[in-house]
Amino acid sequence: MTRSAVPFLISWNLTKRCNLKCEHCYLDAAELEGGEGDLTTAEALGIVDEIAELCPGAMLILTGGEPLARPDLIDIVQYASDKGLNVVLGTNGTLLNEAVILRMKLAGLQGVGLSLDSINPVSHDDFRGSPGCWQKTVDAIDLLKKNDLEFQLQFTVTRNNYDEIPELIEFASQKGAKVANVFFLVCTGRGQEMTDITPPQYEKMLTWLAKAEEEYAGKTMVRARCAPHFLRVVQQNSPDSSIMKGATSGCIAGSGYFRISPEADVTPCPYMTTSGGNLKKESLVEIWDRSPIFKQMRAPQYNGKCGDCRYNDVCGGCRARALSATGDVMGEDPWCDYEPDKAESGIALPHKGELGWTPEAKERLEKVPIFLRKMVKKGLERYARTKGYQVITPDIMEAMRSKVGGRR
């Protein structure tokens, strides 16, 4: 079967157990004791088999809760790695020590993502609900660097640390992080009661992050996460920016990405409770191919101002925020401060008409690996629109390939 979309990134919440009590936790994770509701090791390994069947070679993020709360975590890492998946770990870092790091590395773990929320240890500890956890996380960073296991740092933007983000990114770069991921809050779980930053603050931060991506290029990749509007902001302010070259879309939930919950529900992203099915009852292939929510995410029909916006092919808004705020997964994203009918004059905006493809261009696209094809197609169509082309030809494909340094 030829699929229109093949996932290349999976986030798996292996457990709701956690040793911290973070204010913004979307899972409302609980203390370490117990483990009630966790999948058995056999069930977890069976799910790995299904992931490897649907999307061989995909990146699998094992997270929680706190995934290190599972005593069989290394077995899962080893099995998934042996199946050809690219396995990384998402953790608060407080349970990492050198012995665990070495065992994980030997099992095939390719990288670790650690969460840090403030340069100030007291502020971080208060936010995470545990005294001393800042130092434990920083110690884990140093151990990962010492043992040559790639790591990235991730920060969730809140009112409390908004002004610290530049310092946190500089800290990540100095520590040797491969990536600095700046996440924007989606109000679910315990985070549902938190007060967001304002839409103007969000817009300002995205504009700053666009500059930071270029400033830190070659040192640390700076990435805005759960921020589909980022590419809209970049295209508005600097349509020829290197960030736009080869970019695809603001959100890949349901098209290139899905989440598995601790209960084995499959959702388009971690912040959406709408399940496409449960792996204890249906196969992953059936859920991905046939579930209404996944079909809807892959052929979105936006409502509200998202439907009117000429940037909806590069952005589309956050569907999780829209669902949380309006009850409509295709509703407008309340964080977006952009008004479609107030587009700035003089900016080259993409037209919304259908693009044609010559037979030769279609043939060339078919040679792109299937798990990359949809992303490449979107990137090419956006490039063509910004240039005013209405039909994509091999020459246009070659021109874009040249602009992105040999990628297409």
Side-chain angles (χ1 to χ4, degrees), residues 59 74 80 94 100 154 211 231 233 239 322:
M59 177 172 286
I74 293 177
T94 61
V100 170
Q154 33 224 37
K211 297 176 182 177
L231 292 182
V233 169

Side-chain angles (χ1 to χ4, degrees), residues 139 145 169 223 238 282 306 329 358 376:
D139 289 344
K145 185 174 182 179
I169 291 174
R223 295 290 183 264
S238 183
E282 302 172 75
C306 287
V329 72
T358 67
V376 171

Side-chain angles (χ1 to χ4, degrees), residues 284-346:
L284 181 57
V285 167
E286 289 175 328
I287 293 170
W288 180 261
D289 287 341
R290 302 175 188 173
S291 165
I293 184 61
F294 280 95
K295 288 183 177 180
Q296 188 176 24
M297 296 294 286
R298 291 196 280 269
Q301 298 293 320
Y302 303 117
N303 298 317
K305 68 179 182 180
C306 287
D308 298 328
C309 183
R310 64 181 70 206
Y311 288 105
N312 61 23
D313 64 331
V314 298
C315 171
C318 175
R319 297 300 95 213
R321 288 195 194 100
L323 180 62
S324 177
T326 70
D328 177 9
V329 72
M330 289 295 142
E332 64 181 52
D333 184 341
W335 271 35
C336 184
D337 207 31
Y338 175 73
E339 293 296 335
D341 59 346
K342 297 178 182 178
E344 298 86 340
S345 61

Side-chain angles (χ1 to χ4, degrees), residues 22-29 186-194 270-271 273 324:
C22 306
E23 292 181 16
H24 64 311
C25 182
Y26 62 87
L27 273 186
D28 198 13
V186 179
C187 295
T188 55
R190 281 200 294 271
Q192 192 167 14
E193 303 303 321
M194 293 187 68
Y271 307 107
T273 56
S324 177

